[in-house]
Amino acid sequence: MGDIEQVLLELAGGVSLLRYGLHLAGEGLQAVAGARLRYALASVTKNRFLGLGAGALITAILQSSSATTVMLVGFTGSGLLTLRQAMAVILGADVGTTATVQLLAFPVTHYALGVIAVGFLFFFFGQRQQTKTLGTAVLGFGLIFLGLRLISSGAEPFVDTPLVGQAFMALGDHPVLGIAVSAAITALLHSSAATIGIALALSSHGLLTLHAALPIILGANVGTCAPALMSSLGGVPEAKRVAVAHALFKVVGVLLIYPVLQVFETWVAASAAGLPHQIANAHTLFNLGLSVAFLPFTVPFAKVVSRLVKERPRADEWSKPKYLDPHVLDVPSLALSQATRETLRMADLVHEMLRDTIQAFEDGDQELVEAIERKEDWVDALNREIKLYITKLSEKALTKEQLDREMVLLAVINDLENIGDIVDKNLMELAKKKLYKDLRFSENGVREMVELHGLVEQNFERVMAAFASQDAEVAKRVIEQKARISQKERELKQAHIHRLHAGLPESIETSAIHLDVLTNLKRINSHVTNIAYPLVDQPQEG
């Protein structure tokens, strides 16, 4: 009994090391890639072939097609990609994940300890951050190799056990059962590479034939859809469509190849001499076949998926964050991009509040005032959610550049919230005071407030454009406008005082409100300028 427990512990330890190694390798490689990962993803907007390439590249970096698809669920839900563009990336991701399996087909387990030692040296003795992150990736691959070695070692006692051999052979004789079991295991492991890696380890001891391995490969491809399907639950329809599209690609692919599985086995057997390479080639050929079969039909396929997952009206699009995808927190560069998009969404909300402020004073519309105050509650909610998201991101290993971006984001959302507070707690209170007392501004007073409001709003639009594009030159122009707007505010206050001296009734009645409006518009511009300062100071991304 003790021997069995030891074998099972060794197998479980090997699987755990394999999973953790895949995670660590992906984390290290994406850190080395840095901003290039975002640029690769952005390239999918050009054409489907670039989308295919971007998906393969990103998955090779993340070491998991599940991770890439989960990111796509977030990106399409946030509007970063369309469903059609995401489909090309999904097909590329499925091709990219075969690179890991091809590597594992070689006798890499012999070098596990050496690779771990190299990764350890790079990580602990590297002087530069990039050297340390490269060490993380190397260490991850070492743990993958060690995990396979433990699985292989743990499987060795089963070689002379007929019952185990018969059980594995049954997977080939009953392929539907093999597909189902493999899909379930892959869903639990969140990695098709891990499942196929286990199959490779078992095949090295003759416990698995190519005939029995094929259903495992097909099941692993189906099971890898589970993380994306789970992450899309409760999400927007576009996000669900990506997850459903990925699952349909795999399921339809399995249904197409199932009737000719024997022919496919013959092709795979002829592709390489050794069984490990045949298993890896089967995985690669299946996913390449999916790409060739489906890439020309992404547009009609997208229409079919859109009909299957229909749009449902949302009660309140601002009730919760749209871009903060928790599944990309393991990829800091992408998570920061998502937080940036949510910050821009928050800025759009604050801009609406600022834009409508002058109309609230001009029209005396109670409903408009209440709408602006309601938006302030949404701004506060977004502020809390973005800060919470960034706090979770801070638990990850971030580069200096990523830490700088994190600090900029925190500063920007803080200033945006302050602008929202000024509009809500100051300007809207003044608007209600004017409304309830039935006061009227003088024509010149209204014109002057509109003029200063226009300058501040224009500066707000300019600074958010600078933030979105990381344009230091535009940010400098925002800062240069601070003195001009302050001077304009003083001039308008002086003009109002002249009207008071002239005894203009409207100016006398609304004097306190008028002057407070000008002061608060100037305060808003100070926060606008605060957003610009770090954009000028921070190093530009290459």
Side-chain angles (χ1 to χ4, degrees), residues 195-206:
T195 303
I196 298 174
I198 294 170
L200 288 169
L202 295 173
S203 69
S204 66
H205 291 293

Side-chain angles (χ1 to χ4, degrees), residues 148-171:
L148 288 175
R149 184 170 171 176
L150 288 175
I151 294 169
S152 178
S153 175
E156 197 168 347
F158 294 118
V159 172
D160 299 322
T161 306
L163 188 62
V164 174
Q166 291 169 12
F168 283 119
M169 286 304 297
L171 298 178

Side-chain angles (χ1 to χ4, degrees), residues 67 96 130 163 199 262 276 342 406 438 460 489:
Q130 196 160 11
L163 188 62
Q262 205 166 9
E342 195 65 56
E406 183 182 59
D438 196 25
F460 181 89
E489 185 251 1

Side-chain angles (χ1 to χ4, degrees), residues 81-104:
L81 296 174
T82 66
L83 178 62
R84 181 182 59 79
Q85 291 165 341
M87 284 185 170
V89 183
I90 290 169
L91 292 170
D94 292 333
V95 173
T97 195
T98 65
T100 306
V101 174
Q102 286 290 350
L103 174 64
L104 298 182

Side-chain angles (χ1 to χ4, degrees), residues 495-516:
H496 176 73
I497 291 170
H498 287 320
R499 288 194 295 274
L500 287 179
H501 290 162
L504 196 66
E506 293 93 337
S507 297
I508 295 171
E509 289 178 348
T510 61
S511 181
I513 296 175
H514 185 99
L515 293 174
D516 281 349

Side-chain angles (χ1 to χ4, degrees), residues 125-438:
F125 298 104
Q127 298 297 315
R128 299 171 58 195
Q129 181 62 38
Q130 196 160 11
T131 304
K132 290 180 178 293
T133 51
L134 180 60
T136 301
V138 174
L139 187 61
F141 277 109
L143 292 176
I144 293 170
F145 302 160
L146 182 60
L148 288 175
R149 184 170 171 176
L150 288 175
I151 294 169
S152 178
S153 175
E156 197 168 347
F158 294 118
V159 172
D160 299 322
T161 306
L163 188 62
V164 174
Q166 291 169 12
F168 283 119
M169 286 304 297
L171 298 178
D173 296 334
H174 302 86
V176 174
L177 175 64
I179 291 170
V181 170
S182 177
I185 292 172
T186 304
L188 289 172
L189 297 180
H190 285 206
S191 172
S192 59
T195 303
I196 298 174
I198 294 170
L200 288 169
L202 295 173
S203 69
S204 66
H205 291 293
L207 289 170
L208 210 61
T209 63
L210 178 61
H211 183 65
L214 287 180
I216 293 175
I217 294 165
L218 297 180
N221 276 277
V222 173
T224 196
C225 304
L229 285 168
M230 291 176 65
S231 71
S232 71
L233 295 176
V236 296
E238 199 70 13
K240 292 178 182 176
R241 287 167 185 158
V242 170
V244 170
H246 187 216
L248 283 178
F249 279 145
K250 294 295 192 179
V251 171
V252 172
V254 169
L255 291 175
L256 289 174
I257 204 168
Y258 187 81
V260 292
L261 199 56
Q262 205 166 9
V263 177
F264 183 64
E265 183 180 340
T266 304
W267 291 349
V268 172
S271 69
L275 181 57
H277 288 290
Q278 291 174 356
I279 291 173
N281 289 348
H283 182 49
T284 301
L285 289 170
F286 175 75
N287 285 288
L288 282 174
L290 285 184
S291 299
V292 172
F294 289 114
L295 191 62
F297 306 106
T298 51
V299 175
F301 202 80
K303 291 179 180 177
V304 171
V305 173
S306 295
R307 289 194 187 99
L308 289 175
V309 184
K310 295 184 179 180
E311 188 84 37
R312 291 182 179 176
R314 298 174 61 188
D316 179 9
E317 64 171 320
W318 296 101
S319 60
K320 57 183 179 179
K322 184 177 180 181
Y323 301 110
L324 302 181
D325 184 359
H327 299 92
V328 301
L329 283 170
D330 287 334
V331 190
S333 59
L334 293 170
L336 284 168
S337 294
Q338 294 298 85
T340 299
R341 289 177 64 78
E342 195 65 56
T343 300
L344 288 169
R345 182 168 176 256
M346 179 180 174
D348 286 341
L349 196 53
V350 173
H351 183 216
E352 287 181 15
M353 294 173 65
L354 178 61
R355 181 197 64 204
D356 294 341
T357 292
I358 203 68
Q359 187 180 345
F361 279 103
E362 288 182 305
D363 299 345
D365 188 339
Q366 176 74 25
E367 289 185 4
L368 180 59
V369 171
E370 291 174 356
I372 292 172
E373 290 176 331
R374 193 159 51 249
K375 287 176 182 177
E376 167 58 13
D377 293 335
W378 298 338
V379 168
D380 287 342
L382 289 178
N383 176 58
R384 286 193 302 272
E385 291 296 331
I386 297 171
K387 281 182 178 175
L388 180 62
Y389 188 79
I390 292 176
T391 300
K392 290 178 181 177
L393 184 60
S394 298
E395 298 169 3
K396 310 294 178 184
L398 303 181
T399 65
K400 184 180 182 303
E401 179 196 352
Q402 290 166 349
L403 285 170
D404 289 342
R405 287 184 64 202
E406 183 182 59
M407 294 306 296
V408 169
L409 278 173
L410 287 171
V412 170
I413 62 174
N414 187 59
D415 282 304
L416 287 173
E417 185 191 26
N418 285 330
I419 293 170
D421 283 340
I422 293 170
V423 172
D424 176 39
K425 294 180 173 61
N426 299 95
L427 291 173
M428 288 305 98
E429 288 302 314
L430 293 170
K432 286 190 287 187
K433 186 176 179 180
K434 173 182 176 290
L435 173 63
Y436 298 155
K437 291 188 176 182
D438 196 25

